[in-house]
Amino acid sequence: MDFLSELSHCELCEHRCRVNRLNAETGVCRATLPVVASATLHAAPPESYTVFMAGCNYKCLHCQNWTISQYPDNGIEQRGYLDPQGLAEECVDQLNSFAGKRMQADRIFFSGGEPTIHLPYIEKVVEAARKLEPDTKVNFDTNGFMTAESLKRVLKFTTSVTFDLKAYHDDVHMTLTGASAMPALRNAEYIGKYAKDQLWEYRIVVIPKLNENEIKPLTEFIASIDPSLNVCFLAFRPNFALERHPGADRQLMRRCVDIARQSGLENANWAGYAGIAGTVANIDDEMKKIYTSEATRLAGSYAFYAGCQRHPRNCNLCDVNQNCQVKKYMPRIST
Ligand code: SF4
Ligand code: SF4
């Protein structure tokens, strides 16, 4: 498996762990060989055959796909390592199937987890798929925390990119995800400026009280790149470490679209299930001393209750990132 040789010194994302994943060493994402969580026809735009890759370089408190992203630490079974040629054949067959055609599924959509952590594998699958069908379209669904080199590789083979932004301010981003906002903002700017035609949309999950105040700076940032770029706000649903936190309601989602328009964006909308009830947690006294804003104090408290031992959160510098309790967190409620 020569195509995986760079995993012997992994620097695919900005954690730049430089571990030998081929020798079972693990970095922040905890991934070794590429593992496919599942694959299915998916009706959400862009309609696709979606391949969910297991594992992630973030540890988002609100993760909707936590059963996949927290692999391997949560012990939840995934489909496993699949031969790239076999997966390519499966993708092409499914896109050409009656159900695929009826759905108008027109591309392979790599999601996760975070597909960047398996980039050489995905490149191999795409290469094999295009040998079967040269016009195969590909979407890459990313949190954007990749190196500049990885981004250029992604842009070489993708038809479209769906790009998640979690927060603008570093302290809020760190507390929500465990990682810095800077790489994602840098890469968002690059794609908006130099690969606009490949950007399907930026996606922003709106979480009441936690990143509400991030919407204005995020939309101003995007508008400063190009006011015509697409932005879709997704209503947060209670999940993972935020399993009891209230979902975003329709009023908040409409307000986000208004803020985006006031920021100058021409193409902003929202989607998702809004208005799921919940209860805001109490802020822990220790977290009040460590974090400075209401949003980070609250996010830090949720992280603390889920077992996070390092505050301020920073998974890269964390002494226990190879035995992280947050990655093992099992919510009782999923929505
Ligand atoms: S976190 Fe990023 S750099 Fe570290 S091992 Fe995973 S993919 Fe490689
Ligand atoms: S315990 Fe460490 S690795 Fe786990 S979420 Fe907290 S900062 Fe990140």
Side-chain angles (χ1 to χ4, degrees), residues 62 176 205-213 215 234-238 242 245-250 252-253 255-256 273-281 294-295 298-299 302:
H62 59 288
L176 280 175
V205 176
V206 180
I207 317 169
K209 295 191 179 294
L210 292 173
N211 70 353
E212 276 184 61
N213 292 339
I215 303 306
L234 300 170
F236 160 75
R237 302 197 313 261
L242 302 186
H245 192 71
D249 61 24
R250 300 174 77 86
L252 173 57
M253 299 312 293
R255 200 162 76 233
C256 290
Y273 297 100
I276 299 176
T279 309
V280 179
E294 283 306 295
L298 183 57
Y302 278 115

Side-chain angles (χ1 to χ4, degrees), residues 122-133:
I122 290 170
E123 288 169 330
K124 197 75 181 169
V125 176
V126 173
E127 184 189 310
R130 287 186 174 150
K131 275 191 188 142
L132 296 166
E133 294 247 349

Side-chain angles (χ1 to χ4, degrees), residues 44-66:
E47 292 80 357
S48 66
Y49 190 62
T50 299
V51 178
F52 293 93
M53 300 300 301
C56 189
N57 45 7
Y58 281 1
K59 295 173 178 54
C60 296
L61 301 174
H62 59 288
C63 186
Q64 216 167 282
N65 283 354
W66 63 272

Side-chain angles (χ1 to χ4, degrees), residues 176-198:
L176 280 175
T177 70
S180 168
M182 297 312 165
L185 295 177
R186 177 199 66 208
N187 291 335
E189 184 171 6
Y190 185 92
I191 190 168
K193 270 189 182 159
Y194 304 112
K196 180 182 167 183
D197 292 346
Q198 282 164 275

Side-chain angles (χ1 to χ4, degrees), residues 125-198:
V125 176
V126 173
E127 184 189 310
R130 287 186 174 150
K131 275 191 188 142
L132 296 166
E133 294 247 349
D135 296 334
T136 302
K137 292 181 181 173
V138 173
N139 186 88
F140 201 82
D141 184 38
T142 182
N143 61 27
F145 193 78
M146 60 187 81
T147 62
E149 299 77 33
S150 291
L151 176 61
K152 284 180 187 147
R153 284 166 63 177
V154 167
L155 291 173
K156 269 195 187 145
F157 67 82
T158 46
T159 317
S160 57
V161 176
T162 41
F163 196 119
D164 288 348
L165 290 166
K166 320 278 183 186
Y168 183 79
H169 294 105
D170 210 45
D171 59 342
V172 179
H173 198 279
M174 276 282 202
T175 320
L176 280 175
T177 70
S180 168
M182 297 312 165
L185 295 177
R186 177 199 66 208
N187 291 335
E189 184 171 6
Y190 185 92
I191 190 168
K193 270 189 182 159
Y194 304 112
K196 180 182 167 183
D197 292 346
Q198 282 164 275

